[in-house]
Amino acid sequence: MTTPRYHHGNLRSALLEAGLRIAAEAGPAALQVRDLAKAEQVSASAVYRHFPDLAHLSAEVARLARQQLAQAMLDAAEAESPGPDAGWHAIRRFDAIGRAYVAFAVRSPRLFDTAFQTPEAPPSCDDAPSAWTVLTDALDALVTTGELAPDLRPGAPMVAWAAVHGLASILVRQMVPEPAEERAAMDAVMRGVKRALGLRHA
Amino acid sequence: MTTPRYHHGNLRSALLEAGLRIAAEAGPAALQVRDLAKAEQVSASAVYRHFPDLAHLSAEVARLARQQLAQAMLDAAEAESPGPDAGWHAIRRFDAIGRAYVAFAVRSPRLFDTAFQTPEAPPSCDDAPSAWTVLTDALDALVTTGELAPDLRPGAPMVAWAAVHGLASILVRQMVPEPAEERAAMDAVMRGVKRALGLRHA
DNA sequence: TGTACATCAGTGAACGCGCGTTCACTGATGTAC
DNA sequence: TGTACATCAGTGAACGCGCGTTCACTGATGTAC
């Protein structure tokens, strides 16, 4: 039984999911109208019923990729079980968030590239969830529990994000001449971030 | 007087310089055989006398871009005048190197992208100078002068590079929702790196 | 020192491909009466 | 409840462009004798 091709129902979201799959496998440059349409067994021109052009579709895929990253960070934070020491819990959540960021990039390097590619079209809406918000919320929790000195708070997002994003980029691009172990690099960087912010660390 | 087009003399290096110019203005994706040839007033097929294909030419341009970055770091280090406190001088040089890295990216965002784009062909030779070597040399100087604890030395390159590369990427891609001042961000990150490595800072 | 000739670095036309996009169309869907 | 019709979501062929690359060629260069 061959299903009728007509009136897919949710072609728009199906195309975006196919886009995520393709981008994760072959990188953002592999996002092509024909391939996307083929993946959903639909003619290329059908794509234009749902997106004005490829640039807008790509921008949506990039946004979804960033949201997946942010969700992975949230999930990692939630996986940390609370304990009697609220400050320590906040630190563990912060640590888990940073490690999730890098782990996402290592696990899906091309999707990570897709997430932060230079966009050719503006995204239709803000990221939800957003990695930035996840990070700043975690930093706020550190201040609230007294783990992070308030005068370090303004610069903290940049310090943390730069370290983690930089490590992710370096590992993804394999920029290091001597191929360091990812685990050791992640430990060193996360320890560095905590030292930079004056946090306790094990 | 129209000069004869024939036998350019140093077409190879002229093409690479044109490539650097084009990449700096329009990004790595703008490197095209025809445009390169046109920039040197030469036919497109002449390019193939000097490079097997565009991928190899692009890889060379990327290498030159990385070398320019490394040279900027070296220049910044040399600009720091030595003083009676050798350790303090090593710290100032280290700081200058990190700031030069970020400054290069902000000054030439598309060239920075070109330097670290995923290469489609292997580079013909190692970077010289190389950003990695400049960094590790500076860290060695910190150990020698007793400013950096030897047990922090193994993880130090990753900590420093990740922070600086991450900040550069973030500023270049304008990933920050609230557009922070570059200067403040750089101060915060460099201060963070020095705290992470246990260095003195002003 | 002058000349034949191999070699080298260019030319310019063309090929072939794959891409995004358009257009006239057709079948399916849902709604008004 | 059944039917006419507007609307919507598809089709498939084609357009047009720009790209990397190839090929037969030609003019310039340098070297052997």
Side-chain angles (χ1 to χ4, degrees):
Chain A
M1 158 189 164
T2 57
T3 63
R5 303 276 172 266
Y6 284 96
H7 295 88
H8 191 288
N10 56 345
L11 181 55
R12 186 190 147 91
S13 60
L15 287 170
L16 291 174
E17 273 180 45
L20 281 171
R21 223 178 311 121
I22 290 172
E25 282 168 18
L31 288 174
Q32 294 172 0
V33 175
R34 283 174 159 82
D35 282 1
L36 255 359
K38 197 177 178 185
E40 292 308 310
Q41 306 197 62
V42 135
S43 74
S45 42
V47 173
Y48 292 87
R49 285 280 155 197
H50 301 278
F51 301 94
D53 52 33
L54 176 63
H56 284 80
L57 195 161
S58 295
E60 288 297 279
V61 171
R63 201 190 87 244
L64 292 175
R66 288 193 303 274
Q67 289 181 181
Q68 284 196 2
L69 168 60
Q71 189 60 51
M73 294 160 75
L74 278 176
D75 292 346
E78 288 310 303
E80 290 295 324
S81 52
D85 185 342
W88 185 241
H89 183 230
I91 290 175
R92 299 239 358 224
R93 282 173 61 96
F94 174 73
D95 188 80
I97 284 170
R99 289 176 187 273
Y101 193 104
V102 178
F104 180 93
V106 169
R107 193 189 329 127
S108 308
R110 322 228 64 160
L111 197 55
F112 182 77
D113 275 345
T114 304
F116 297 112
Q117 104 206 93
T118 309
E120 302 152 39
S124 63
C125 62
D126 290 344
D127 297 5
S130 121
W132 175 262
T133 304
V134 175
L135 169 61
T136 53
D137 285 353
L139 289 169
D140 286 340
L142 288 172
V143 173
T144 304
T145 54
E147 297 294 333
L148 177 61
D151 65 302
L152 285 180
R153 176 65 180 78
M158 270 301 187
V159 170
W161 201 5
V164 158
H165 184 78
L167 175 59
S169 302
I170 288 168
L171 292 179
V172 164
R173 305 278 163 88
Q174 296 176 325
M175 285 161 52
V176 189
E178 37 200 88
E181 298 151 31
E182 287 165 7
R183 182 57 187 248
M186 192 143 88
D187 287 344
V189 167
M190 286 313 297
R191 184 185 169 93
V193 169
K194 282 181 274 189
R195 282 177 63 101
L197 298 181
L199 305 179
R200 290 184 275 165
H201 50 277
Chain B
M1 160 188 162
T2 58
T3 63
R5 300 278 171 266
Y6 284 96
H7 296 88
H8 191 289
N10 57 344
L11 180 55
R12 186 190 147 91
S13 60
L15 287 170
L16 290 174
E17 274 181 44
L20 280 171
R21 223 179 309 122
I22 290 171
E25 282 168 18
L31 287 175
Q32 294 171 359
V33 174
R34 281 175 160 81
D35 282 1
L36 254 1
K38 197 178 178 185
E40 292 308 311
Q41 306 197 59
V42 133
S43 75
S45 42
V47 173
Y48 293 87
R49 286 280 155 196
H50 300 278
F51 301 94
D53 52 34
L54 177 62
H56 283 79
L57 194 161
S58 295
E60 288 295 279
V61 171
R63 202 190 86 244
L64 291 175
R66 288 194 303 273
Q67 290 181 178
Q68 283 194 3
L69 168 59
Q71 188 60 52
M73 295 161 75
L74 278 177
D75 292 347
E78 288 309 304
E80 291 296 324
S81 51
D85 186 340
W88 184 242
H89 183 230
I91 291 174
R92 299 240 357 226
R93 283 173 61 96
F94 174 73
D95 188 80
I97 283 170
R99 290 175 187 273
Y101 193 104
V102 179
F104 180 92
V106 170
R107 192 189 330 126
S108 308
R110 321 229 67 160
L111 197 54
F112 182 76
D113 275 344
T114 304
F116 298 111
Q117 103 206 91
T118 309
E120 303 152 38
S124 64
C125 61
D126 290 344
D127 298 5
S130 121
W132 175 262
T133 304
V134 174
L135 169 61
T136 53
D137 284 353
L139 289 169
D140 286 340
L142 288 171
V143 173
T144 303
T145 54
E147 296 294 333
L148 177 60
D151 66 302
L152 286 179
R153 177 63 181 78
M158 270 301 188
V159 170
W161 200 4
V164 158
H165 184 78
L167 175 59
S169 302
I170 288 167
L171 293 178
V172 163
R173 304 277 163 87
Q174 298 176 326
M175 285 162 53
V176 188
E178 36 199 88
E181 298 151 31
E182 287 165 6
R183 182 56 188 248
M186 193 143 87
D187 287 345
V189 168
M190 286 311 299
R191 185 188 169 92
V193 169
K194 282 181 277 188
R195 282 176 63 101
L197 298 182
L199 306 179
R200 291 184 273 165
H201 51 276

